[in-house]
Amino acid sequence: MSSVSRPRRWRRLLIGVVAFATVLLLAVGGGVTWIYVSAAVSTVGSTKFSNELAIPPLAHSELRPDGTRVFDLDMRSGHKEFRAGQVTQTWGFNGDYLGPTLRARRGERVEVRVRNSLQEASTVHWHGMHLPAAMDGGPHQMVAASDTWEPQWTIDQPAATLWYHPHPHGATEQHVRRGLTGLFLLDDEISESLPLPRNYGVDDLPVIVQDVKFRGAELDSGHAIFRDVGFLGDQTMVNGTLTPYRDVGDELVRLRLLNASTARVYTFGFADDRSFSLVATDGGLVEHPAALDRLQLSPGERAEIVVRVRSGERAVLRSTKLDAGLDFWNGRFAGGDDAFDVLELRAAATLRPSPELPAMLAPPSTPDGSDSVAERRFELNLSGINGQPMAMDRIDLAVTRGTAETWIVHNNDGMPHNFHIHDVQYRVLAMNGAPSPPALTGPKDTVFLPPDATVELAMRFTGPADPNTPYMYHCHLLWHEDQGMMGQFVVLEPGQSAGKPPSHHGH
Ligand code: C2O
Ligand code: CU
Ligand code: CU
């Protein structure tokens, strides 16, 4: 016979269960708290700015007798010492990491001979470029390993800072993260006649911002727990240079900012909160320079800013906390609480004088919505756009060549998203029902959508029509895109109907 009576035994058992549950709860709670606390990163104040900023070289090109400007891009694997003594495996165009800056003028015919020297298939997409769908480099224009692809088109859009990157369906995040990214600059009569800083690498600096993380010598591409946005790094680099500085010798410096990160949203500003002038957005020059002291850029967005430096000073470009109405959970795990010292500009003791910025830059090049022939709605969720994940053989919508449309896009999720449309630049008519803020008044192809935000976009599809080859629209948080937050549209002649693209994403 047991000496412990029945009620006592029950009580002991109960105490045991409660104690065990408490310990478990504390452990889980403590674990989550630890994950939460350690999820925020900051390099503010601890960045040494010890490496001179690399400037991607301008790509060499050949002029054919018919006037076509021909570039060569070779996608290849390589290795790079981001940190002294640590050799990291990378991918790049024509080199170990990133790619050369392509540059062409409005009206020019260009051809890019793309060679894929990687071990796997990929694509090269010209982000922001207006061009025929078959030249777009989206998931339908796969280039097999060891194969080449030679798209050709005529540059027919305003001067702008565009970029190029792979777009293979389901693997874009990883291909971009390994280093396949470059700039494609366009010039036109307006950009060439304005007194803006435009000496490439001198007073006109490309600033390709990426966040990275290393595991040993290698790039770490893993997604940490609770990171619904995809990969987030714990430090930034510019043009592939960690803790970068750049000597500048002019009073005014133009920075062509590209957020080439796969998921991170930056809020750029200077450490001393000085104001700077926004002169261009994704698709080119704004009408008038806008004075700002903060500028949000989500993945894929570009902005050109002009900043004034004082002789002998060091001006630090920084990214601060994200103000996007994220709750404490999403704010933390989407990287919204992170801060980075991005780039230090070291001004010479004597600076070359720069002309004042012109008051007028370029006339608007996007429609104002008044002649839109259709209004379409897009609900963004990680699980898909308008409730459907991307399907390679499904055309989601067709537009008519020559017409303008208004697209109303709503972020239906608790996490940040953005919205990119291929082939066109659009005007942000409204953000949450209000006129768009100064940072969004220029031509755009990618726009940030905080949770529950709604944007109204107006764009014109000028063709050419191709019923069988779609363009993409998608979230440019690349893991979201890979998960299927993407849809396809075709441009048709009046009366034409859409074809059916192949479901393969092979060769
Ligand atoms: Cu920057 Cu669909 O891409
Ligand atoms: Cu694009
Ligand atoms: Cu997204």
Side-chain angles (χ1 to χ4, degrees):
M1 273 293 283
S2 152
S3 58
V4 184
S5 70
R6 202 160 274 257
R8 252 169 119 185
R9 211 188 296 168
W10 276 112
R11 209 169 68 199
R12 251 192 229 171
L13 189 66
L14 193 70
I15 290 170
V17 166
V18 168
F20 179 74
T22 310
V23 167
L24 193 72
L25 260 168
L26 284 175
V28 170
V32 170
T33 307
W34 183 80
I35 291 167
Y36 184 88
V37 169
S38 58
V41 296
S42 173
T43 62
V44 167
S46 58
T47 301
K48 302 226 159 44
F49 303 114
S50 43
N51 301 311
E52 185 181 13
L53 176 72
I55 300 292
L58 285 170
H60 169 79
S61 61
E62 269 165 47
L63 268 191
R64 287 227 183 92
D66 69 356
T68 306
R69 186 175 291 284
V70 185
F71 297 95
D72 283 287
L73 284 181
D74 180 27
M75 312 167 84
R76 53 170 92 138
S77 56
H79 25 257
K80 182 175 161 74
E81 253 181 77
F82 294 99
R83 300 161 301 165
Q86 307 249 38
V87 180
T88 303
Q89 319 233 30
T90 53
W91 285 3
F93 292 99
N94 301 1
D96 290 325
Y97 193 77
L98 301 181
T101 298
L102 276 56
R103 189 153 203 172
R105 202 164 183 276
R106 186 168 197 170
E108 263 185 330
R109 181 113 190 123
V110 297
E111 176 178 316
V112 190
R113 293 189 292 224
V114 175
R115 189 182 158 73
N116 182 0
S117 302
L118 300 168
Q119 311 271 25
E120 61 187 277
S122 190
T123 76
V124 182
H125 165 59
W126 320 102
H127 180 128
M129 195 77 74
H130 169 55
L131 78 187
M135 309 298 164
D136 189 43
H140 291 280
Q141 287 88 42
M142 290 296 273
V143 189
S146 311
D147 216 345
T148 53
W149 176 59
E150 300 180 345
Q152 266 210 10
W153 69 95
T154 300
I155 307 289
D156 187 17
Q157 67 189 94
T161 300
L162 311 183
W163 65 301
Y164 59 92
H165 64 80
H167 216 300
H169 189 37
T172 296
E173 186 196 46
Q174 293 310 324
H175 286 208
V176 172
R177 289 239 342 101
R178 291 181 179 135
L180 293 174
T181 287
L183 289 174
F184 202 138
L185 307 185
L186 302 183
D187 303 297
D188 67 7
E189 260 168 34
I190 298 175
S191 70
E192 285 168 351
S193 67
L194 289 169
L196 288 171
R198 56 192 170 92
N199 197 350
Y200 183 80
V202 179
D203 62 358
D204 181 356
L205 304 178
V207 180
I208 303 172
V209 186
Q210 298 175 295
D211 58 337
V212 282
K213 195 168 172 180
F214 291 96
R215 192 167 7 141
E218 300 307 331
L219 291 171
D220 183 355
S221 308
H223 295 183
I225 189 167
F226 305 136
R227 302 288 197 183
D228 291 335
V229 291
F231 169 83
L232 290 174
D234 56 9
Q235 56 184 323
T236 52
M237 58 185 181
V238 179
N239 305 344
T241 308
L242 290 164
T243 78
Y245 72 89
R246 185 79 189 174
D247 291 318
V248 292
D250 294 88
E251 289 174 347
L252 292 183
V253 182
R254 177 188 196 165
L255 302 178
R256 296 181 187 252
L257 301 168
L258 160 63
N259 181 349
S261 297
T262 52
R264 186 175 287 288
V265 181
Y266 295 100
T267 304
F268 291 113
F270 285 86
D272 63 357
D273 295 326
R274 79 183 61 191
S275 76
F276 49 85
S277 300
L278 175 76
V279 296
T281 51
D282 300 334
L285 295 167
V286 295
E287 271 184 84
H288 316 280
L292 301 174
D293 59 12
R294 289 287 181 276
L295 177 67
Q296 261 178 12
L297 285 187
S298 67
E301 287 185 285
R302 289 87 64 211
E304 297 177 31
I305 63 172
V306 175
V307 62
R308 179 174 293 278
V309 293
R310 290 177 298 269
S311 57
E313 74 160 340
R314 295 182 172 200
V316 173
L317 179 71
R318 187 170 270 182
S319 175
T320 51
K321 273 189 164 200
L322 178 62
D323 177 14
L326 294 167
D327 61 40
F328 88 101
W329 183 265
N330 277 293
R332 175 62 52 102
F333 291 110
D337 294 334
D338 301 346
F340 300 95
D341 275 346
V342 175
L343 171 66
E344 184 178 72
L345 298 176
R346 298 184 180 169
T350 332
L351 294 168
R352 287 180 287 270
S354 305
E356 287 299 317
L357 285 184
M360 299 284 292
L361 294 171
S365 52
T366 48
D368 64 4
S370 60
D371 63 345
S372 289
V373 299
E375 191 176 280
R376 300 181 198 265
R377 289 179 184 270
F378 300 85
E379 290 291 333
L380 303 186
N381 285 92
L382 179 51
S383 52
I385 299 180
N386 290 340
Q388 280 185 308
M390 156 88 170
M392 292 285 286
D393 57 355
R394 185 189 70 233
I395 301 291
D396 295 279
L397 60 102
V399 303
T400 308
R401 188 182 63 79
T403 63
E405 298 201 354
T406 299
W407 289 14
I408 300 172
V409 189
H410 174 231
N411 179 352
N412 211 5
D413 254 348
M415 69 184 86
H417 293 300
N418 69 10
F419 194 72
H420 168 51
I421 312 177
H422 287 209
D423 183 49
V424 291
Q425 295 292 328
Y426 48 72
R427 189 183 305 200
V428 182
L429 300 174
M431 172 75 143
N432 296 329
S436 60
L440 300 179
T441 50
K444 296 284 294 166
D445 56 51
T446 308
V447 66
F448 179 47
L449 283 116
D452 212 35
T454 302
V455 290
E456 282 175 45
L457 315 173
M459 75 284 314
R460 190 182 315 280
F461 301 93
T462 56
D466 182 343
N468 300 308
T469 315
Y471 296 103
M472 309 294 130
Y473 54 86
H474 59 89
C475 177
H476 216 290
L477 276 65
L478 296 181
W479 183 67
H480 290 181
E481 175 193 326
D482 287 338
Q483 293 299 298
M485 267 193 88
M486 177 153 71
Q488 312 195 94
F489 71 97
V490 286
V491 179
L492 303 176
E493 293 295 349
Q496 226 175 12
S497 46
K500 192 172 164 69
S503 57
H504 71 104
H505 46 272
H507 348 291

